[in-house]
Amino acid sequence: MGGLQQPRLRSKRLKPEYSAGAPLAVGLGSWVMWVLMFPVLRVGFTDTRNTWICVALLVLCVLVARPMVRMVAPARLKGSRILVAARAVGLCCVVAGVMAPLETEVDKQPMAGMTVVYATTAAVLGLMRIVDHGYFPLVLLRTALWKALLAVVTGYWIHHTGGTLVPGPDDATPGTLLLAVLWWSLVGLSAGCAVAAVVRLVRWLRTGPPARPAPPGVTSWPPAVGDVWTAELTHDDNTYKERPVVVLERTPGFVRVLGITSVDKSDRRRGYLKLRLPEWEGVLRKDGWLNLEIAHIPYCDFLWRRGECPDRAWDVLCGKADVRERSAKAGPAPGFTFRHRLRSAMNAHVGRDSRTVRAGTDSRVRRVWTRERV
């Protein structure tokens, strides 16, 4: 699923995004949901007393579904109580819709009914995770193709053994319903992956990598103005390298930053600002030079947050530094051509890591930046 996507480079972005106990938690939650919903389907809203009992059981079912929905949600959505509650209600509605045809047969094979509920719950939670965590669209599309291939093989096996993918709820056995629900769950996951991948790929190729959802493994997202991040900075020769950058401004498709290098630039003081380690301790590891030419970086190239630009350095940067936009003669910013965007959608880069920095010296137009408190 989307949450399993790995970053391009070995870096601090590589962190586990889910717990190994997730299958057990989903299994336990599915069993509790099955226990709560089964009486609702058998009793129904026949009179006032039964109606209140069913409502109470459904509320308990939503309370059981809520921790599972919150477990698969990213950190930025865990605090949104309304969204989590709405998703929990939606999960319960889907499970109830799947359990309704099993109501007459579940007494014969209760384990099959519980397995159907587990498969449905896992599929719905998987789709939620895809929507929240699936970032690199071509990686997501590859996942959809693998799931579709597995669905084709599974469907052929079910048909070859005499089963059916659309059984009638009145004359089908619990085993037949179980296989059908498992197959449709797999188809739903594949279709969800494909739709999310295509929608995000179109936007990715047109306007660049989006700020939402966050790239896999990053924290403190999105980059705030005045923060210092480690990012993959692409150069004019299509090579790239991990470098610290100071965030100046966020736009819908990219971030304006100033790159930091450790290469001595004392002979080009007008285009660079000296950064001394005592002032930048905890953010940099040694003295550096801040390139005053603005670079445009896609959101997918940010790796991890290093810290915050010191206030004195930020004041100097806003008031006195010769910050300049990229020269029009230099052409479009590297990393934003169609080839770069297509490769980044695959979670890959066009060039290799270079150990040099190329900086222009044109167009010294100063622009005043104000610090944004977020």
Side-chain angles (χ1 to χ4, degrees):
M1 289 182 291
L4 302 180
Q5 299 183 43
Q6 302 297 329
R8 281 195 291 266
L9 301 180
R10 179 180 56 84
S11 67
K12 293 182 181 179
R13 180 191 287 181
L14 188 57
K15 297 178 181 179
E17 297 186 7
Y18 62 95
S19 171
L24 179 61
V26 174
L28 180 61
S30 301
W31 178 79
V32 176
M33 291 174 65
W34 179 79
V35 170
L36 293 173
M37 281 191 175
F38 179 65
V40 176
L41 296 175
R42 294 300 297 270
V43 175
F45 300 86
T46 55
D47 53 39
T48 304
R49 179 174 176 272
N50 289 339
T51 298
W52 282 109
I53 293 176
C54 292
V55 169
L57 291 175
L58 290 177
V59 171
L60 290 176
C61 189
V62 172
L63 294 178
V64 172
R66 184 180 179 277
M68 293 190 292
V69 171
R70 195 172 184 274
M71 177 184 62
V72 301
R76 60 186 173 84
L77 297 182
K78 291 184 185 295
S80 179
R81 297 180 179 180
I82 297 179
L83 178 61
V84 172
R87 289 185 173 186
V89 172
L91 174 60
C92 292
C93 291
V94 174
V95 173
V98 174
M99 284 186 65
L102 296 175
E103 181 252 334
T104 57
E105 297 288 342
V106 75
D107 286 336
K108 300 178 182 179
Q109 295 187 20
M111 185 58 67
M114 200 190 80
T115 306
V116 168
V117 175
Y118 177 83
T120 305
T121 304
V124 174
L125 293 177
L127 288 175
M128 292 180 183
R129 188 168 180 84
I130 288 169
V131 171
D132 294 333
H133 293 266
Y135 188 75
F136 300 103
L138 290 182
V139 175
L140 200 57
L141 185 60
R142 182 180 61 191
T143 302
L145 293 177
W146 278 111
K147 292 184 183 299
L149 179 61
L150 182 59
V152 170
V153 174
T154 305
Y156 174 79
W157 177 79
I158 293 175
H159 181 73
H160 184 71
T161 55
T164 176
L165 300 178
V166 190
D170 297 329
D171 55 357
T173 64
T176 304
L177 289 173
L178 171 62
L179 291 177
V181 170
L182 290 174
W183 185 82
W184 281 107
S185 299
L186 191 59
V187 170
L189 276 175
S190 175
C193 282
V195 171
V198 171
V199 171
R200 289 174 180 171
L201 180 62
V202 172
R203 181 176 61 172
W204 190 294
L205 297 179
R206 291 181 60 184
T207 61
R212 299 292 186 185
V218 299
T219 57
S220 184
W221 190 257
V225 173
D227 280 354
V228 180
W229 281 66
T230 295
E232 298 166 354
L233 190 60
T234 303
H235 307 310
D236 289 326
D237 58 357
N238 288 332
T239 58
Y240 66 94
K241 185 179 180 181
E242 288 187 16
R243 290 197 179 279
V245 296
V246 178
V247 178
L248 294 181
E249 183 184 23
R250 295 198 307 262
T251 70
F254 61 90
V255 182
R256 289 187 174 91
V257 302
L258 297 179
I260 299 175
T261 179
S262 59
V263 180
D264 184 17
K265 299 294 181 179
S266 56
D267 58 336
R268 301 175 60 183
R269 287 185 175 274
R270 189 178 180 185
Y272 288 85
L273 182 66
K274 177 69 173 180
L275 308 179
R276 302 191 180 277
L277 184 59
E279 184 179 9
W280 290 76
E281 190 172 0
V283 180
L284 303 178
R285 296 181 179 178
K286 54 184 176 181
D287 291 349
W289 292 85
L290 182 68
N291 188 350
L292 299 181
E293 182 180 79
I294 298 173
H296 297 175
I297 297 185
Y299 283 99
C300 64
D301 286 350
F302 284 86
L303 299 178
W304 72 87
R305 184 179 184 274
R306 303 176 68 104
E308 188 174 356
C309 179
D311 290 336
R312 192 197 67 82
W314 185 262
D315 293 339
V316 171
L317 186 63
C318 294
K320 299 180 181 179
D322 188 17
V323 178
R324 61 191 185 278
E325 290 282 0
R326 178 180 172 84
S327 172
K329 298 179 181 179
F336 286 88
T337 63
F338 180 83
R339 185 166 64 114
H340 280 84
R341 289 179 177 176
L342 186 61
R343 288 286 292 173
S344 65
M346 301 176 188
N347 196 16
H349 260 306
V350 170
R352 287 187 173 184
D353 188 355
S354 70
R355 299 298 173 179
T356 59
V357 177
R358 299 181 58 182
T361 57
D362 303 326
S363 183
R364 302 179 184 276
V365 179
R366 187 170 78 177
R367 184 173 180 178
V368 178
W369 302 93
T370 58
R371 188 168 217 153
E372 175 182 313
R373 298 293 182 182
V374 293

